Amino acid sequence: QVQLVESGGGSVQAGGSLRLSCVASGNTGPNFCLGWFRQSPGKEREWVAASQFGGGDTHYADPVKGRFIISQENKQKTVYLHMDNLIPEDTGMYFCAADRECTVIGGHWLIAGTASWGLGTQVTVSS
């Protein structure tokens, strides 16, 4: 079982920046994927970015490419989401997720049903 704790959400004006953190604990194994999804009221959950621990790649959804950067600290089992040039459409609850692999196909992370999830952290971007 993997536990995930997110932090770093908040309220900013458009054009501002935020950094989210997600710390994983428990039985992750040496190779695993940590990433982020977001969801706004009335909308479906949307994948944002993912990072493969154990020497793997990083992946981004098209709406955030060039504005968001995902990075990791291997020993701390922590992933960060650096968000720049935020726009109101970025508003939502951001959830950290952990899976064995970052299976990204067709611009979507095909996360397993057995994946672990955090409780989320709210990001609000005002215009």
Side-chain angles (χ1 to χ4, degrees), residues 38 46-48 59-67 106-108:
R38 66 187 181 187
E46 175 187 32
W47 169 62
V48 177
H59 309 270
Y60 298 92
D62 286 344
V64 307
K65 284 181 180 177
R67 299 188 299 119
H108 298 282

Side-chain angles (χ1 to χ4, degrees), residues 89-109:
E89 289 76 11
D90 294 320
T91 295
M93 185 70 77
Y94 282 67
F95 297 93
C96 183
D99 200 354
R100 296 189 64 172
E101 298 286 339
C102 295
T103 305
V104 178
I105 299 175
H108 298 282
W109 180 9

Side-chain angles (χ1 to χ4, degrees), residues 1-2 24-34 52-54 74 77 98-100:
Q1 191 74 0
V2 176
S25 60
N27 187 23
T28 62
N31 300 312
F32 59 101
C33 180
L34 278 184
Q52 182 72 43
F53 282 65
N74 291 335
K77 294 186 180 180
D99 200 354
R100 296 189 64 172

Side-chain angles (χ1 to χ4, degrees), residues 3-70:
Q3 293 78 43
L4 303 172
V5 178
E6 306 101 330
S7 62
S11 298
V12 296
Q13 290 191 328
S17 300
L18 284 173
R19 188 184 78 161
L20 306 183
S21 302
C22 173
V23 181
S25 60
N27 187 23
T28 62
N31 300 312
F32 59 101
C33 180
L34 278 184
W36 296 90
F37 286 78
R38 66 187 181 187
Q39 188 166 21
S40 300
K43 294 186 178 180
E44 292 187 355
R45 184 182 65 188
E46 175 187 32
W47 169 62
V48 177
S51 180
Q52 182 72 43
F53 282 65
D57 295 329
T58 57
H59 309 270
Y60 298 92
D62 286 344
V64 307
K65 284 181 180 177
R67 299 188 299 119
F68 291 11
I69 295 175
I70 190 168

